[in-house]
Amino acid sequence: MEFSKVYFLGIGGIGMSALARYFLHEGKLVAGYDRTPSRLTAELEAEGASVHYDDDIRAVPEEFLDPHDTIVVYTPAVPQEHSELRYFREHGFTVEKRSQMLGHLAEGKYVMAVAGTHGKTTTSTLVAWLNRGVTGGGSAFLGGISKNFGGNLVLGSGNRLAVEADEFDRSFLRLFPDVAVITSADADHLDIYGTHEAVKEAFSQFVRQIRPGGALVIKQGVDLQLDNPSIRIYRYAYDTPCDFYARNIRLLEGGYYRFDLVTPGGAVDGCTLGIPGWVNIENAVAACAAVWCAAQADKGGFDADRLREALASFSGVKRRFEFYVNTPRQVYMDDYAHHPRELAATLASVRKMFPGRKVTALFQPHLFTRTRDFYAGFAEALSLADEAVLLPIYPAREEPIPGVVSEIIAERVTVPCRIVGRDRLADEVAAMATDVVVSFGAGNIDACCDALAEKLKAKS
């Protein structure tokens, strides 16, 4: 593809912004549209991209209106009737989905792709960090802001490329990985897939696309049709004996864990992960398994000391089990969880980390369709807390669905539960008798984090 300019529709998305940063680094001219300003769009503008927030072809910089030297990349979250998208399609531009462009950039690389309906962002970021720690190189396109790398794009030496393989809109089927991790294949995005069986079939197709001689690392218990005879298949788990798992797990102060990592080549004793939570130990096992598979393919070593150092120095991902306050009197953390299984897993981790303490869950449902499909599951998960606070549904790309409101979750929660507006959340929570507070959601609840942290820190 020969082009000197890249225009992004949905430039502020976490995956899109990583691509935009890549092309800025490559010296291309970059511009784009997004619905609302954000921290990511502000950073892109500071790095040289031109960004506007009105769906209006007249707002597109003139130099991006020549189809001979401009390629257009869009996210599936942009509606098909978007006027700029229609204009580019009708005027001879090369228009590609984000996943298509990511597939182009992955060509010629040793691709380490992490897929799953949850857990993939932390796991893929860990893969990128372990690549850096163990081999000194590796690049990555990430689905979150890595605290270690300070962003969602990693440019490093060597041929390894870690990517988050997103199942939304079947985007991950544009990838042909050498090593693939599947963390989960739960029912999700049913507005796209229709049924859970269709979700599972897409994951099975993803497995078929692993390159001959490659490897699949799949969580123990995930039930998929695995019919790629040209690859090796490994299972991983938190502490259930299988190909890769953790043993001798010890809870340390502050919710951190020490463990021994068991691999087919032997155990790596005395590992400590730099972020808390048992669910992150499971993610770390998956990431270590992927790096182990890459080392086998390289016919290189799996340096235990470097691996321990990399695990211990991992700082995590913004909005994934992120602590704002952690004192004996008050804890506040924020998490991106937006599926019932994710909420339940995080709350189970919090219970293990802070036994006997009162847990308050704050949750902003994401999408009307997801709420419609999983409201009972959300209620069941939130009932694992001691009390819950719900925000109105964050619509993202969707129009309201009659009768689908946060109240259908709240009325099924079996612990005290209330609904508050986002603008009142910090004050409402500050007035409650809180101990351990966790906020959840993939919408804009994170805009409340600083205010919540300030008020809860004052209480500690």
Side-chain angles (χ1 to χ4, degrees):
M1 294 182 295
E2 290 296 326
F3 53 87
S4 58
K5 300 160 192 169
V6 193
Y7 187 81
F8 289 90
L9 287 164
I11 195 169
I14 191 69
M16 292 283 278
S17 60
L19 289 176
R21 283 193 162 116
Y22 171 81
F23 285 114
L24 284 167
H25 179 267
E26 291 295 297
K28 308 289 188 183
L29 289 181
V30 172
Y33 156 87
D34 211 278
R35 285 179 61 182
T36 55
S38 66
R39 184 178 300 175
L40 280 174
T41 57
E43 290 172 354
L44 287 171
E45 290 186 80
E47 292 168 25
S50 173
V51 184
H52 67 272
Y53 305 95
D54 296 313
D55 176 13
D56 186 347
I57 195 66
R58 293 171 298 183
V60 178
E62 187 175 349
E63 60 265 39
F64 290 85
L65 294 176
D66 183 352
H68 296 99
D69 62 5
T70 299
I71 189 168
V72 177
V73 182
Y74 73 100
T75 169
V78 171
Q80 294 300 305
E81 63 272 16
H82 192 279
S83 68
E84 291 185 22
L85 180 58
R86 285 205 321 268
Y87 175 90
F88 288 122
R89 282 177 166 161
E90 292 168 1
H91 287 79
F93 286 79
T94 300
V95 180
E96 294 194 344
K97 287 185 181 180
R98 181 190 70 86
S99 56
Q100 290 174 275
M101 180 56 72
L102 184 58
H104 293 317
L105 298 180
E107 291 173 5
K109 296 288 189 179
Y110 184 89
V111 178
M112 307 171 73
V114 181
T117 44
H118 44 263
K120 58 182 174 287
T121 300
T122 298
T123 305
S124 56
T125 306
L126 254 168
V127 170
W129 184 242
L130 295 179
N131 279 339
R132 177 66 58 89
V134 175
T135 71
S139 301
F141 290 97
L142 303 173
I145 302 300
S146 163
K147 293 184 178 180
N148 290 101
F149 292 113
N152 51 356
L153 171 67
V154 180
L155 298 171
S157 61
N159 204 36
R160 292 187 188 181
L161 175 66
V163 296
E164 179 172 325
D166 188 4
E167 76 280 358
F168 175 71
D169 199 39
R170 296 178 171 83
S171 293
F172 61 170
L173 298 183
R174 298 283 183 176
L175 293 170
F176 295 83
D178 296 276
V179 175
V181 176
I182 296 179
T183 64
S184 50
D186 295 325
D188 199 3
H189 304 300
L190 297 185
D191 55 322
I192 301 291
Y193 287 97
T195 66
H196 188 193
E197 285 306 310
V199 175
K200 292 168 68 175
E201 170 53 31
F203 276 93
S204 293
Q205 179 59 42
F206 178 65
V207 172
R208 294 182 196 112
Q209 294 180 190
I210 299 172
R211 293 169 180 161
L216 168 67
V217 176
I218 184 169
K219 184 178 174 181
Q220 182 90 315
V222 173
D223 179 25
L224 294 175
Q225 182 177 356
L226 305 177
D227 53 3
N228 184 342
S230 65
I231 63 172
R232 293 161 289 139
I233 298 174
Y234 300 97
R235 294 280 178 174
Y236 80 93
Y238 171 58
D239 61 357
T240 303
C242 55
D243 297 308
F244 297 89
Y245 67 98
R247 72 181 182 196
N248 297 330
I249 303 168
R250 289 88 79 196
L251 177 63
L252 308 176
E253 186 176 355
Y256 296 85
Y257 287 86
R258 181 166 294 130
F259 61 98
D260 301 336
L261 172 70
V262 179
T263 80
V268 180
D269 297 336
C271 299
T272 304
L273 188 61
I275 56 175
W278 75 264
V279 71
N280 285 319
I281 301 304
E282 185 174 84
N283 293 332
V285 171
C288 290
V291 174
W292 184 90
C293 290
Q296 297 298 302
D298 288 344
K299 296 182 171 54
F302 189 65
D303 191 301
D305 289 334
R306 287 188 176 184
L307 185 75
R308 289 190 197 94
E309 291 172 7
L311 288 169
S313 61
F314 182 65
S315 301
V317 185
K318 291 286 290 179
R319 299 220 63 219
R320 268 69 174 185
F321 233 82
E322 183 177 12
F323 278 86
Y324 283 77
V325 182
N326 191 357
T327 72
R329 291 173 58 91
Q330 193 74 57
V331 173
Y332 170 51
M333 58 170 285
D334 177 57
D335 194 80
Y336 191 71
H338 54 285
H339 186 279
R341 286 280 187 90
E342 295 173 328
L343 265 70
T346 300
L347 286 169
S349 280
V350 170
R351 287 290 192 197
K352 284 189 177 184
M353 291 161 58
F354 303 106
R357 295 180 67 173
K358 178 184 177 183
V359 177
T360 301
L362 319 177
F363 177 52
Q364 181 188 46
H366 182 255
L367 299 177
F368 293 106
T369 52
R370 185 179 281 121
T371 304
R372 176 198 63 198
D373 295 335
F374 301 120
Y375 62 88
F378 284 129
E380 183 179 354
L382 290 168
S383 298
L384 297 173
D386 295 295
E387 61 183 349
V389 177
L390 281 164
L391 277 68
I393 297 169
Y394 182 79
R397 57 188 178 272
E398 296 183 338
E399 295 299 322
I401 298 174
V404 179
V405 288
S406 291
E407 282 78 0
I408 65 174
I409 301 173
E411 64 192 20
R412 290 168 173 81
V413 175
T414 59
V415 298
C417 181
R418 67 179 81 177
I419 299 174
V420 303
R422 189 170 64 92
D423 58 337
R424 296 187 292 110
L425 181 64
D427 289 332
E428 289 268 353
V429 174
M432 297 165 64
T434 56
D435 182 3
V436 177
V437 179
V438 191
S439 55
F440 298 99
N444 60 2
I445 191 173
D446 60 314
C448 303
C449 289
D450 289 338
L452 279 162
E454 183 178 347
K455 290 183 179 293
L456 294 174
K457 195 175 293 183
K459 293 172 69 172
S460 68

